[in-house]
Amino acid sequence: MEIATKLKELRISHNLTQAELGEALQMRQGTIANYETGLREPHINSLVSYANYFKCSIDYLIGREDDFGNITIKSEKPAD
């Protein structure tokens, strides 16, 4: 799942508007909108803020970990 979709789904699942989440994370509503539409990718500091707020890992936010905490690294070449 793409990061923009994950961020939007988390916000909606917590019944928050972009403005409310922006206020909680000390970000502008426009920044939240840009992340959710994929126009901009969040900086690591923003990812930390999201992870802290939603009590999840950054790996979960970026799609490297599923709901159960299992790591799902995507690679063109499988590991040895």
Side-chain angles (χ1 to χ4, degrees):
M1 179 181 298
E2 158 179 336
I3 189 168
T5 304
K6 178 70 71 182
L7 297 179
K8 184 174 184 176
E9 285 181 356
L10 274 172
R11 177 182 60 78
I12 290 171
S13 72
H14 285 78
N15 297 314
L16 296 167
T17 65
Q18 290 176 342
E20 290 168 336
L21 181 59
E23 186 175 326
L25 300 180
Q26 298 181 349
M27 295 180 197
R28 295 177 335 135
Q29 179 271 330
T31 300
I32 303 292
N34 286 338
Y35 292 162
E36 291 183 2
T37 58
L39 291 175
R40 291 185 57 207
E41 289 194 1
H43 185 274
I44 187 66
N45 293 337
S46 297
L47 288 174
V48 169
S49 294
Y50 268 91
N52 288 340
Y53 185 82
F54 290 112
K55 296 177 178 46
C56 64
S57 69
I58 291 174
D59 278 344
Y60 176 74
L61 293 175
I62 64 172
R64 285 176 42 107
E65 188 175 278
D66 65 19
D67 291 344
F68 304 103
N70 298 312
I71 296 176
T72 56
I73 299 173
K74 296 177 185 170
S75 170
E76 292 178 20
K77 182 179 170 186
D80 294 333

